[in-house]
Amino acid sequence: MPHPALTPLAARDMAARDMAARANRPDYARWAARARATGGCAQPIHLRGRVDYRDPLTGELLHRYSTLHEPGGVLRVACKTRRASRCPACAEVYRADTYQLVRAGLVGGKGVPDSVTQHPAAFVTLTAPSFGPVHARREKAGTAQPCHPRRNATPCPHGRVLSCATRHSTDDHKLGEPLCPDCYDTTGSVLFNALAPELWRRFTLALRRRVAKTGGLLVRELRDVLTVSFAKVAEYQRRGVVHFHAVIRFDGPDGPTSPPPAWATHEVLADAVDQAASAVTVSTPAAACLPSRSLAWGSQVDVRPITTTGELTDQAVAGYIAKYATKAAECVGTLDRRLRATDELTDLPVTGHARRLIAECLRLGALPELADLRLSEWAHMLGFRGHFSTKSRRYSTTLGTLRAARIEHNQREHHITTGRLPFDDEDQVLVIADWRYLGQGLTPGEAILTAALTGKPLPPLGPTALKGASV
Ligand SMILES: [Zn+2]
Ligand SMILES: [Zn+2]
Ligand SMILES: [Zn+2]
């Protein structure tokens, strides 16, 4: 781990020496093979242990794999994270899988029939309401507009004029920061994040009710003729509040393999989304010092039909959703890890706005009436504890299926390179595995070598530090 007092030059020198030491070890070839096998993972998990293959009848040991023969006596496996800030290589795999999954639901493939293209589908964006003015980049025909120009704005109670005539550039660090941090409704913002998954659930129920009503059916009768399938991702806006992008599709009773009824058109879908989004609310739990309040979606509900040729194609939508699946809260200037007991709020490497939202999570998290929202635990996510990408059961294939297919392939390759796989029928063998977690990560030199071997980028914050007791 680099010493905090180390100059960048000295740190680079150390990484270079570390790299040379790794490359000169006699087990380098095997180490490099594993670096490739993990797909260039920037923070591989280190395991020590063995796998015994025994005859189920006699108990005879047929074959043993042990990490003793691996470099340093440990096996490195990919971390499989979704977060690009932690491991670009694994996040890329996740992004590609999400793309395939969303796309299969729009054009077929991976077990979904091509006829799914005939089903009405829409790309829906549900945003959060306003919690106070923030610096924003507004564009008109590609040109930046003044942020919040107010000619005769009276000062707020904190003496700030809530006006900003700046035409912000896309990388302006002020974007998302409130015009007045003291006026900004941080309470509303973190409570919205905490309750957004519930608001989404209520939205899907209201959507089904609305569709049933249009078809002249009861909700329980709808199930026999129509399924509403969806895939959604959560995205953080710069102001630190989540919103959702979703593909919502009409299927028949058996999911993508069956057609929806003829009356269930694009227009019916768009109308039901609009109605449901404006109808649902969720009440925050009341506490002694905090009355309950009602939260709803923002007024900007966007519903656009997805077609194979039109303005919004299936491919564009799949790419868009996949892109957001690997972004998380850290993209808006907060932490990519949980807060620790030893963390000082004032020392955290976060923006001022994120710091205030984290502080509000910790304040509300201490209220017993709000315990269910687990705001202290999810303070680093600014209150959101939902999943980043979710889908209904029948949307398309699953990440698990895609992953299993790849693992199967990698396993075989791994077995072949290690001279294993002496058994044709794995069912006839008793497999006893004994693994121990030793740590995670790469040394600075290893990170550079891994990136060079696999053509994958180094993590944006430099090589990850090696955690745990591994070598
Ligand atoms: Zn990884
Ligand atoms: Zn501004
Ligand atoms: Zn103010």
Side-chain angles (χ1 to χ4, degrees):
M1 192 182 291
H3 192 272
L6 227 50
T7 64
L9 201 66
R12 220 180 306 161
D13 188 44
M14 237 173 87
R17 263 182 287 150
D18 178 41
M19 184 167 73
R22 166 52 81 194
N24 287 325
R25 271 185 224 169
D27 57 12
Y28 175 70
R30 176 66 192 150
W31 182 87
R34 281 310 300 166
R36 285 197 197 93
T38 60
C41 177
Q43 48 167 19
I45 293 161
H46 300 193
L47 298 171
R48 180 166 289 167
R50 65 178 196 212
V51 186
D52 285 354
Y53 297 79
R54 289 180 184 277
D55 185 306
L57 294 174
T58 63
E60 185 199 347
L61 184 66
L62 301 171
H63 182 81
R64 169 173 287 174
Y65 165 79
S66 167
T67 56
L68 271 179
H69 309 294
E70 298 286 353
V74 295
L75 179 70
R76 290 163 175 82
V77 296
C79 72
K80 297 200 177 79
T81 187
R82 174 185 65 74
R83 290 161 177 255
S85 64
R86 285 194 195 157
C87 177
C90 291
E92 176 55 27
V93 172
Y94 185 93
R95 195 196 61 73
D97 279 359
T98 305
Y99 177 83
Q100 293 299 339
L101 186 151
V102 173
R103 189 155 191 275
L106 292 170
V107 297
K110 312 272 172 204
V112 180
D114 297 353
S115 56
V116 78
T117 50
Q118 307 300 316
H119 299 196
F123 185 56
V124 174
T125 301
L126 295 173
T127 57
S130 170
F131 298 107
V134 296
H135 292 285
R137 179 181 162 86
R138 292 171 211 289
E139 276 185 21
K140 213 183 248 173
T143 324
Q145 302 294 307
C147 170
H148 270 93
R150 300 282 181 278
R151 202 180 299 271
N152 297 313
T154 46
C156 77
H158 313 98
R160 296 187 181 100
V161 179
L162 300 188
S163 170
C164 173
T166 310
R167 295 166 197 266
H168 294 290
S169 61
T170 46
D171 57 352
D172 193 331
H173 68 277
K174 271 179 129 181
L175 289 174
E177 291 274 332
L179 266 61
C180 174
D182 299 306
C183 281
Y184 194 77
D185 181 8
T186 51
T187 313
S189 175
V190 302
L191 287 175
F192 183 88
N193 281 350
L195 289 161
E198 174 60 17
L199 200 56
W200 169 266
R201 194 184 69 84
R202 293 184 186 193
F203 163 75
T204 59
L205 295 177
L207 182 67
R208 287 191 184 93
R209 272 199 303 274
R210 181 75 199 178
V211 174
K213 201 174 165 202
T214 310
L217 301 163
L218 296 170
V219 176
R220 59 182 157 78
E221 294 170 335
L222 184 69
R223 237 171 274 154
D224 300 331
V225 295
L226 184 147
T227 316
V228 181
S229 301
F230 69 84
K232 84 169 201 302
V233 282
E235 184 205 348
Y236 277 85
Q237 291 180 297
R238 298 240 200 182
R239 57 184 170 134
V241 70
V242 287
H243 67 180
F244 293 124
H245 300 288
V247 172
I248 304 182
R249 191 186 66 214
F250 282 161
D251 292 333
D254 300 322
T257 52
S258 54
W263 58 262
T265 58
H266 269 294
E267 291 69 36
V268 170
L269 176 57
D271 166 77
V273 167
D274 264 332
Q275 295 285 334
S278 58
V280 292
T281 60
V282 59
S283 296
T284 68
C289 57
L290 189 76
S292 170
R293 56 191 281 186
S294 178
L295 293 170
W297 299 114
S299 50
Q300 294 175 350
V301 177
D302 189 36
V303 193
R304 284 188 282 168
I306 304 167
T307 54
T308 42
T309 50
E311 173 206 356
L312 194 61
T313 64
D314 41 63
Q315 216 140 350
V317 169
Y320 197 50
I321 291 218
K323 187 177 100 193
Y324 286 115
T326 52
K327 278 174 73 177
E330 63 271 16
C331 298
V332 293
T334 178
L335 288 179
D336 75 344
R337 59 162 177 86
R338 283 210 172 153
L339 260 71
R340 304 186 187 110
T342 49
D343 280 331
E344 284 293 343
L345 200 52
T346 46
D347 297 340
L348 292 177
V350 299
T351 63
H353 184 50
R355 198 185 317 278
R356 286 185 295 273
L357 293 169
I358 290 173
E360 186 63 4
C361 285
L362 297 177
R363 185 182 78 85
L364 297 177
L367 303 176
E369 297 91 338
L370 270 61
D372 285 351
L373 302 181
R374 292 155 66 205
L375 284 165
S376 308
E377 214 176 312
W378 295 94
H380 65 297
M381 301 293 274
L382 314 178
F384 180 65
R385 63 184 192 290
H387 289 289
F388 271 86
S389 51
T390 53
K391 55 171 208 63
S392 60
R393 195 164 50 88
R394 281 170 167 165
Y395 178 75
S396 70
T397 181
T398 66
L399 279 179
T401 310
L402 290 176
R403 230 173 250 156
R406 194 174 42 243
I407 287 168
E408 168 101 17
H409 173 77
N410 287 348
Q411 284 285 344
R412 288 194 79 83
E413 268 194 351
H414 173 59
H415 288 183
I416 290 160
T417 54
T418 52
R420 282 173 63 200
L421 213 70
F423 319 109
D424 286 337
D425 188 353
E426 294 267 333
D427 289 347
Q428 297 302 304
V429 183
L430 193 62
V431 182
I432 304 157
D434 174 24
W435 293 112
R436 200 150 52 85
Y437 172 87
L438 285 186
Q440 189 175 9
L442 296 170
T443 64
E446 287 176 342
I448 297 167
L449 279 174
T450 301
L453 282 167
T454 58
K456 294 285 158 59
L458 280 168
L461 301 172
T464 50
L466 194 64
K467 286 178 275 186
S470 190
V471 284

